[in-house]
């Protein structure tokens, strides 16, 4: 069994920065892809950013140039550095991981609230 623990959300003013962390724990697993989705009230969940085991990255157009995703494969942890935050970035951010154990499946974090407001 793999568990994902998220941290780093909170309230920030427009133009500010936050860093989210997502740490995977368990045993006997390999993480292929890690990333974040977000969901604002009334909206569908959308992919924000993801990073592969070989550090290939993807960003949604809305965050490209402002957000940076990285990972530490030794610590099984991914990071999402969010700069120049806007009110439209307000959402619950969910970490996920594409994990291989005896089978391949996605695991999800509990979600962390990011609120951008003055």
């Amino acid at each position: 069994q793999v568990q994902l623990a998220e941290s780093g959300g909170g309230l920030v003013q427009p133009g500010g920065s936050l860093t989210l962390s997502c740490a995977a724990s368990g045993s006997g697993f390999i993480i292929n892809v890690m990333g974040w989705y977000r969901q604002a009230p009334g909206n569908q969940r959308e992919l924000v950013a993801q990073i592969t085991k070989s550090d290939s990255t993807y960003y949604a157009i809305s965050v490209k140039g402002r957000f940076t995703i990285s990972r530490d494969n030794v610590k099984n942890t991914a990071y999402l550095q969010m700069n120049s935050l806007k009110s439209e970035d307000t959402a619950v951010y969910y970490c996920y991981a594409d994990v291989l154990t005896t089978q391949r499946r996605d695991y999800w974090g509990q979600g962390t609230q990011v609120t951008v407001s003055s």
Side-chain angles (χ1 to χ4, degrees):
Q1 187 72 7
V2 176
Q3 293 185 328
L4 300 181
E6 297 185 59
S7 61
L11 172 65
V12 64
Q13 292 187 342
S17 298
L18 281 174
T19 301
L20 305 183
S21 299
C22 176
S25 62
S27 62
F29 64 92
I30 297 171
I31 300 175
N32 298 308
V33 180
M34 295 187 81
W36 273 269
Y37 279 76
R38 68 185 180 187
Q39 187 167 22
N43 290 356
Q44 290 188 330
R45 190 174 291 193
E46 63 170 345
L47 177 61
V48 176
Q50 66 180 30
I51 184 167
T52 70
K53 196 167 46 175
S54 56
D55 288 341
S56 294
T57 57
Y58 163 86
Y59 296 96
I61 291 174
S62 58
V63 308
K64 205 164 189 177
R66 300 187 297 120
F67 291 10
T68 302
I69 190 169
S70 60
R71 65 188 279 177
D72 182 329
N73 290 327
V74 174
K75 295 181 178 179
N76 289 314
T77 300
Y79 306 93
L80 185 66
Q81 174 68 43
M82 304 184 292
N83 298 327
S84 302
L85 283 160
K86 305 175 182 180
S87 57
E88 50 263 44
D89 295 317
T90 296
V92 178
Y93 285 68
Y94 296 92
C95 170
Y96 82 96
D98 172 9
V99 177
L100 177 64
T101 55
T102 56
Q103 60 182 352
R104 185 174 178 176
R105 59 160 285 190
D106 288 342
Y107 288 85
W108 292 86
Q110 76 279 11
T112 187
Q113 177 70 46
V114 172
T115 302
V116 184
S117 175
S118 54

